[in-house]
Amino acid sequence: SASDAAVFSHVPEVSGLISIDTLLAAVGDIELQAKNNITFNDALDAGTKSITARAGGSIDVNAPLTTQGRAILLHANDPSAGSLNTNGTVNINSKLSSGNGTITLEGASINIGDVDGGAIDSNGGFINLTADAISIGGAVTAGAGDVTVTANQIQIDGIVNASDVLLSSTGDIRIGDAFSETIANTVGSTAGVV
């Protein structure tokens, strides 16, 4: 049943591919759960459905994920998977776009690549990134929304464009030249370790 599928322990242990057509035909929002890894290799335009992916291992986004004003949640290293992989990483290798919906990425680590047209664009929605280590190599754009980055180690070599950017770390925050140029006029930052 639909309520059983909402709990990791009730999901059958299968390995394989799920077609985009199958996901779009589902009634309600799109939610994927895996005890190991989830990989998006085909573009998914969910329209007015939200996209949630929870994995005990890693989540790789190799094709665009899009919603129209709905949330995108990608949670690698999810403890509710029952087979926690302490190295579960969210890898963004293609664009995430939420059309003003909130984008949340969580995992042991998050790697945001340098993607043509920008890696993450919430068009005014909030962007929340939480992990032990976060590397932002591509553009993260929230427009009028805020970007919150919480990690033990933060490396920013890409561009972060938002109303407000909050960086919270118990370790180093390393800022490269591209990000420094975007915030220099507002807070006088320079490249290096903060």
Side-chain angles (χ1 to χ4, degrees):
S1 76
S3 61
D4 286 342
V7 181
F8 272 101
S9 62
H10 295 159
V11 176
E13 302 234 2
V14 296
S15 181
L17 302 174
I18 299 173
S19 75
I20 298 301
D21 290 339
T22 299
L23 294 175
L24 295 176
V27 175
D29 295 326
I30 296 170
E31 180 158 355
L32 300 171
Q33 298 177 345
K35 291 190 177 192
N36 291 308
N37 303 319
I38 296 174
T39 303
F40 293 94
N41 284 324
D42 294 318
L44 173 58
D45 184 341
T48 58
K49 297 180 180 187
S50 66
I51 299 171
T52 299
R54 298 178 181 276
S58 294
I59 297 175
D60 294 313
V61 178
N62 300 323
L65 300 182
T66 305
T67 67
Q68 297 171 13
R70 297 302 305 272
I72 297 174
L73 167 65
L74 305 179
H75 189 174
N77 204 43
D78 189 317
S80 59
S83 60
L84 189 63
N85 175 345
T86 58
N87 297 317
T89 301
V90 176
N91 294 300
I92 305 300
N93 304 310
S94 193
K95 187 166 188 152
L96 298 181
S97 179
S98 65
N100 199 30
T102 298
I103 297 176
T104 303
L105 307 181
E106 300 175 347
S109 61
I110 297 171
N111 297 312
I112 299 171
D114 188 8
V115 175
D116 287 341
I120 299 177
D121 185 353
S122 67
N123 193 28
F126 291 98
I127 298 174
N128 303 302
L129 310 175
T130 305
D132 290 331
I134 297 175
S135 174
I136 299 174
V140 175
T141 304
D146 296 342
V147 174
T148 301
V149 181
T150 306
N152 293 325
Q153 300 289 324
I154 299 171
Q155 173 73 41
I156 301 176
D157 294 311
I159 295 172
V160 179
N161 178 0
S163 176
D164 288 310
V165 177
L166 173 63
L167 305 175
S168 176
S169 176
T170 58
D172 291 339
I173 298 175
R174 297 184 180 275
I175 298 176
D177 292 331
F179 184 69
S180 296
E181 290 172 13
T182 65
I183 63 173
N185 293 332
T186 57
V187 296
S189 176
T190 59
V193 178
V194 176

